[in-house]
Amino acid sequence: MLFYRALATGVMSVVAPVAAVTSAALPVLFGLATGDRPEPMALAGVALALGAVLLVSQDRSAARGGSFASVLVALAAGAGFGGFFVLLAMAPDGSGLWPLVGARLSSVTLVALIAVTTGRALRPGRGALPVIAAAGMLDMAANVLYLLAQRQGMLSLVAVLVSLYPASTLLLARQVLGERLHPIQITGVACALGAVALIAVA
């Protein structure tokens, strides 16, 4: 909810990277603290990935637009994502997809409670249902793929790869919303691709 709120009040090309760098930092710290020992090349990829997230988050036009509040909300959203990644990593391998079922039931219950207590309607706006359904399917598919990837690799690497999504978000924002990429952001996308390569070959 915080992430969608930040997207609604801020600029996508800033909100997504800010949330991503926060969501990557928590699992990396947790993974290293609990015994993850990536190869040196993979660690270089992690450092490059975090740098890439910082680069793609540079948007001077958004800074002039006064989006500081949306950045704070994005930071809180990223902390929630990072905690979610850590908790999924703690689920036993034999639990199948049940952790995601529990997560979805919890989130639906929370949204319903908030709607009831604040008096907000849960009915989607006209024409919004297809977009909502598509977003939900993509979100759940991403969660399933993350859970499967985390069970095959180290949390400190998988979480960083997952957090590179702002690169694709920037490209989509350019094509769909017409947001322009600055040279420093294009450099960040290139760094993201290099980070993926380093982590993949390690």
Side-chain angles (χ1 to χ4, degrees), residues 157-179:
L157 298 183
V158 172
V160 169
L161 288 176
V162 169
S163 297
L164 290 176
Y165 72 85
S168 59
T169 302
L170 280 175
L171 297 176
L172 286 172
R174 177 178 173 82
Q175 294 299 319
V176 178
L177 302 178
E179 293 184 8

Side-chain angles (χ1 to χ4, degrees), residues 43-59:
L43 283 175
V46 169
L48 186 59
L50 293 175
V53 172
L54 291 175
L55 288 174
V56 297
S57 68
Q58 301 302 309
D59 189 338

Side-chain angles (χ1 to χ4, degrees), residues 24-44:
L26 290 178
V28 166
L29 293 174
F30 180 85
L32 293 176
T34 55
D36 280 2
R37 295 295 178 265
E39 296 291 329
M41 190 174 292
L43 283 175

Side-chain angles (χ1 to χ4, degrees), residues 9 17 26 50 52 64-65 67 73 79 84 88 90 92 108 111 124 126 145 167-168 179 183 189:
T9 58
L26 290 178
L50 293 175
R64 289 195 297 269
S67 59
V73 176
F84 179 64
L88 280 185
M90 296 172 67
V108 169
V111 168
R126 183 182 297 256
L145 291 172
S168 59
E179 293 184 8
V189 172

Side-chain angles (χ1 to χ4, degrees), residues 116-192:
V116 169
T117 56
T118 60
R120 293 178 178 262
L122 289 175
R123 179 179 299 174
R126 183 182 297 256
L129 194 56
V131 175
I132 293 171
M137 287 188 290
L138 289 172
D139 176 56
M140 186 50 69
N143 288 335
V144 170
L145 291 172
Y146 167 78
L147 185 62
L148 296 177
Q150 176 273 317
R151 288 175 178 171
Q152 299 296 320
M154 286 183 281
L155 174 64
S156 55
L157 298 183
V158 172
V160 169
L161 288 176
V162 169
S163 297
L164 290 176
Y165 72 85
S168 59
T169 302
L170 280 175
L171 297 176
L172 286 172
R174 177 178 173 82
Q175 294 299 319
V176 178
L177 302 178
E179 293 184 8
R180 297 185 60 185
L181 295 181
H182 300 289
I184 193 170
Q185 292 175 308
I186 296 173
T187 303
V189 172
C191 289

